[in-house]
Amino acid sequence: MRHNFRQVASEATSGVANVVRTQSNSIRIESVDVDAALHEYEQERISLGRLAELLDIDRDEAATLVEARGLALRIGPNTVEEARDEVRALRKIQSR
């Protein structure tokens, strides 16, 4: 189910659930904790596209959320893996 941006933003302070870092250092989502997902973005562990995918919002909404939190908005991938993450997120959004 796609989340409503206002719902995600309003839940941002409530700590909805857990972003889990696995032993292989990848991120697995049990359910979304907006603060934890934003922290992963701030630490440059995930891209804006991946943040949007994790929060089940579109990329523009994720950018708005990042800016509203006073975080630096990183545009464009820094690595090939980030580019692949963004392509996967876009394909997932397009398939809805």
Side-chain angles (χ1 to χ4, degrees):
M1 175 203 295
R2 184 165 163 72
H3 290 95
N4 177 291
F5 177 64
R6 287 186 184 91
Q7 175 188 1
V8 170
S10 70
E11 292 175 351
T13 59
S14 67
V16 181
N18 295 314
V19 175
V20 178
R21 187 167 291 282
T22 65
Q23 288 181 353
S24 64
N25 210 28
S26 62
I27 295 173
R28 177 173 50 89
I29 300 302
E30 292 179 346
S31 53
V32 178
D33 178 333
V34 177
D35 288 330
L38 284 167
H39 179 73
E40 293 295 308
Y41 175 81
E42 182 179 26
Q43 297 300 309
E44 299 186 8
R45 294 181 186 131
I46 62 173
S47 66
L48 185 64
R50 179 71 171 136
L51 177 67
E53 181 181 21
L54 295 175
L55 299 180
D56 200 25
I57 59 178
D58 69 41
R59 197 168 187 263
D60 291 337
E61 292 168 334
T64 299
L65 184 60
V66 165
E67 289 177 326
R69 288 296 188 90
L71 302 176
L73 186 60
R74 297 186 331 268
I75 304 295
N78 289 321
T79 66
V80 171
E81 186 56 34
E82 282 184 11
R84 288 182 182 135
D85 286 345
E86 289 189 10
V87 168
R88 280 191 288 271
L90 288 171
R91 286 183 178 151
K92 182 177 178 181
I93 290 168
Q94 288 176 338
S95 69
R96 293 183 187 160

